[in-house]
Amino acid sequence: MSDLLERLRGRGWRLTSQRRVVAEVLDGEHVHLTADEVHARAVDRLPEISRATVYNTLGELVGLGEVLEVATDGRAKRYDPNAHHAHQHLICSGCGAIRDVHPQGDPLAALPEAERFGFAVSGAEITYRGLCPECVNRP
């Protein structure tokens, strides 16, 4: 059983065949799929699954904190199943490809006390942007 499915089962989340397929599509390589990409892959496994079911399931998974929703500059949101491992994202400004990265150091420590404006800062999301090798080498 996959890591995501194990976590969902441990939470007592009712695993219908549709929910199971969405979780299986998301689990594994830690790719960052759009809802439409999740739906296309889910249909390969369960032809009768609807787009609405995929969107609703993704919303539930995000609400549970089991999947991260990643927004990328006006492009379609992407869904990251790597929600329980600290990481940041590297996004290609050309094609929109996303990779998980693990920079050294604590990003919270990089924000000086004077720049916190009294906030009790609890987290940081850092997004690195650039061009992937394919986009750099495009004519």
Side-chain angles (χ1 to χ4, degrees):
M1 186 183 328
S2 74
D3 184 47
L4 180 57
L5 285 172
E6 276 185 42
R7 290 192 322 255
L8 293 170
R9 202 178 287 279
R11 293 182 79 132
W13 198 54
R14 203 170 121 252
L15 280 171
T16 63
S17 58
Q18 294 90 349
R19 286 175 162 184
R20 173 183 284 283
V21 165
V22 170
E24 288 172 350
V25 165
L26 286 172
D27 199 57
E29 299 173 39
H30 297 292
V31 292
H32 302 78
L33 302 173
T34 65
D36 287 340
E37 290 169 336
V38 172
H39 179 253
R41 291 182 184 192
V43 165
D44 288 343
R45 297 173 185 222
L46 189 67
E48 66 273 13
I49 194 167
S50 72
R51 188 176 310 278
T53 297
V54 169
Y55 275 83
N56 290 338
T57 303
L58 289 170
E60 289 177 34
L61 291 171
V62 169
L64 288 170
E66 293 296 339
V67 171
L68 301 173
E69 191 174 71
V70 181
T72 59
D73 297 337
R75 297 178 191 253
K77 292 176 186 167
R78 295 182 174 263
Y79 295 89
D80 181 358
N82 196 8
H84 295 279
H85 305 285
H87 67 284
Q88 306 304 330
H89 291 108
L90 175 62
I91 300 176
C92 178
S93 301
C95 66
I98 302 175
R99 300 288 181 262
D100 288 351
V101 293
H102 304 88
Q104 299 297 312
D106 178 6
L108 293 179
L111 184 62
E113 194 65 41
E115 292 291 317
R116 295 179 186 216
F117 300 100
F119 280 60
V121 180
S122 60
E125 294 177 20
I126 298 171
T127 302
Y128 299 91
R129 298 184 190 285
L131 292 174
C132 70
E134 289 181 25
C135 289
V136 166
N137 295 318
R138 273 198 190 121

